[in-house]
Amino acid sequence: MTANQSPAGKPPTATYDSAFLRACRREPVPHTPVWFMRQAGRSLPEYRKVREGIPMLESCMRPELVTEITLQPVRRHGVDAAIYFSDIVVPLKAIGIDLDIKPGVGPVVEKPVRTRADLARLRDLTPEDVSYVTEAIKLLTAELGETPLIGFAGAPFTLASYLVEGGPSRNHEHTKALMYGDPQLWADLLDRLAEITGAFLKVQIEAGASAVQLFDSWVGALAPADYRRSVMPASTKVFEAVAGYGVPRIHFGVGTGELLGLMGEAGADVVGVDWRVPLDEAARRVGPGKALQGNLDPAVLFSSREAVEAKTGEILDAAAGLEGHVFNLGHGVLPTTDPDALTRLVEDVHTRTAR
């Protein structure tokens, strides 16, 4: 156990009583906590400066650079949590999958995974494979003090979709063809990815992450019955792998309004909601016993200050009866967002919800 962990029965630690972790645990908070997906990224000029000339995957493997990038939005915006700067394909790269992140495209896999023989390429992930992650998180937690650090990983379905398609896909035709056409191979693939993902999250927690988020970016492409049968077992396995650490587990996907209840059922303590479903309706779908995270449309930040404040008010009103609420966007910060709009949004939420 490390300084930032506080499982049941352990004494409180530096981040334990933070507004973010209290909201995740559905406890009273001094104000609604705020952080943003992709808060450390292209919207910040200081990020673009330190990343200049450095490929994405290489930047994820430089602990000092990761530390600086992760801290940038905490310094600038005053958010209530930092999220570890990385990419969901980092653990796949770490176990030897030939892939790269191409600017303007995203992750591209040289040889897609589509046969049983391809499973052998997905070996176990060890802490030594990602020693730079451990080093970076130790640097970060020393700097962050009472501000929690969120670790993260890609969920098995989304990782599988990149592996099977060979890159980003609009329709996921190869992925769904495998899922429907060879359900046993599909199940074995997701189970293997669940092992890798669980190991990657364990590394982050043991290094000092105070919470973890599982990103299932593409799972909104599935119907609920397919999710329950073909995806949920693997996601549940990931959440169970880190259950013993006592840190909040967040589950987020895009276009997942029809899946919200199942995503909570998979094992999350906090369910992320995109902007398509109001938070009060999301709470009804998820059911009791879970905190919610979300859910301002990132595009709203391009509107007037008055419009942003109006939409923020609507979200806070919808969240008024929730057991726990972490304010976030309904997806990541868009690259051309004005950073000052994010800073104002944090201040607005804190001011309106101060208790």
Side-chain angles (χ1 to χ4, degrees):
M1 290 293 155
T2 70
N4 278 326
Q5 296 169 36
S6 189
K10 297 291 182 181
T13 57
T15 63
Y16 187 79
D17 278 326
S18 63
F20 169 72
L21 290 181
R22 290 184 68 88
C24 290
R25 297 194 302 266
R26 296 174 288 117
E27 296 173 359
V29 291
H31 59 262
T32 297
V34 188
W35 72 277
F36 306 117
M37 290 175 280
R38 294 196 198 130
Q39 64 187 15
R42 289 172 290 174
S43 66
L44 298 181
E46 55 266 44
Y47 167 83
R48 294 194 295 271
K49 183 177 180 180
V50 299
R51 270 283 321 277
E52 191 172 3
I54 305 173
M56 178 62 184
L57 281 173
E58 183 182 339
S59 70
C60 295
M61 299 174 189
R62 295 189 183 185
E64 292 81 7
L65 183 58
V66 167
T67 300
E68 169 59 22
I69 292 172
T70 303
L71 289 172
Q72 286 175 349
V74 180
R75 296 190 200 112
R76 180 186 272 263
H77 304 312
V79 287
D80 293 279
I83 184 161
Y84 183 72
F85 175 75
S86 187
D87 190 272
I88 64 170
V89 299
V90 162
L92 300 180
K93 183 72 171 181
I95 63 170
I97 296 298
D98 188 359
L99 59 83
D100 195 12
I101 299 175
K102 298 191 175 179
V105 178
V108 176
V109 179
E110 182 67 24
K111 296 179 180 177
V113 172
R114 294 178 185 170
T115 69
R116 183 157 295 279
D118 291 330
L119 281 182
R121 292 155 52 199
L122 299 174
R123 67 167 176 82
D124 291 342
L125 178 84
T126 69
E128 292 71 30
D129 292 322
V130 287
S131 58
Y132 46 86
V133 172
T134 297
E135 184 179 347
I137 290 179
K138 289 182 182 299
L139 291 171
L140 272 165
T141 52
E143 291 282 342
L144 285 165
E146 296 179 359
T147 301
L149 175 67
I150 305 167
F152 83 92
F157 175 83
T158 291
L159 293 179
S161 74
Y162 278 118
L163 287 171
V164 175
E165 300 291 339
S169 172
R170 184 180 297 273
N171 299 310
H172 309 284
E173 52 265 49
H174 295 292
T175 304
K176 291 184 177 182
L178 178 60
M179 184 178 73
Y180 296 131
D182 194 339
Q184 188 57 58
L185 175 57
W186 173 259
D188 292 344
L189 171 60
L190 260 66
D191 188 70
R192 184 75 56 86
L193 291 170
E195 293 276 357
I196 293 165
T197 301
F200 190 53
L201 291 179
K202 285 180 180 180
V203 166
Q204 294 174 70
I205 297 169
E206 290 180 3
S210 295
V212 290
Q213 176 157 308
L214 192 65
F215 282 86
D216 217 346
S217 307
W218 306 126
V219 80
L222 297 183
D226 291 329
Y227 177 87
R228 179 182 288 280
R229 177 178 57 249
S230 302
V231 174
M232 191 168 154
S235 294
T236 297
K237 184 171 183 173
V238 174
F239 286 123
E240 288 178 346
V242 298
Y245 291 97
V247 303
R249 299 159 296 170
I250 309 167
H251 202 5
F252 173 76
V254 184
T256 51
E258 298 300 320
L259 305 178
L260 289 172
L262 293 172
M263 290 175 70
E265 193 178 327
D269 304 298
V270 184
V271 178
V273 185
D274 73 13
W275 65 91
R276 297 169 178 86
V277 180
L279 288 176
D280 48 358
E281 171 59 19
R284 188 190 68 77
R285 297 184 188 188
V286 171
K290 309 285 182 183
L292 296 186
Q293 179 176 280
N295 66 337
L296 183 70
D297 184 342
V300 170
L301 290 165
F302 292 82
S303 190
S304 67
R305 184 169 184 167
E306 293 74 20
V308 174
E309 290 177 351
K311 292 300 291 185
T312 300
E314 290 177 16
I315 289 165
L316 292 174
D317 287 346
L322 300 183
E323 295 181 72
H325 176 222
V326 176
F327 193 99
N328 207 310
L329 304 181
H331 197 196
V333 175
L334 296 170
T336 53
T337 302
D338 178 1
D340 290 343
L342 292 167
T343 304
R344 288 194 298 267
L345 178 56
V346 174
E347 293 172 352
D348 188 29
V349 173
H350 284 175
T351 300
R352 292 193 200 210
T353 61
R355 294 166 175 83

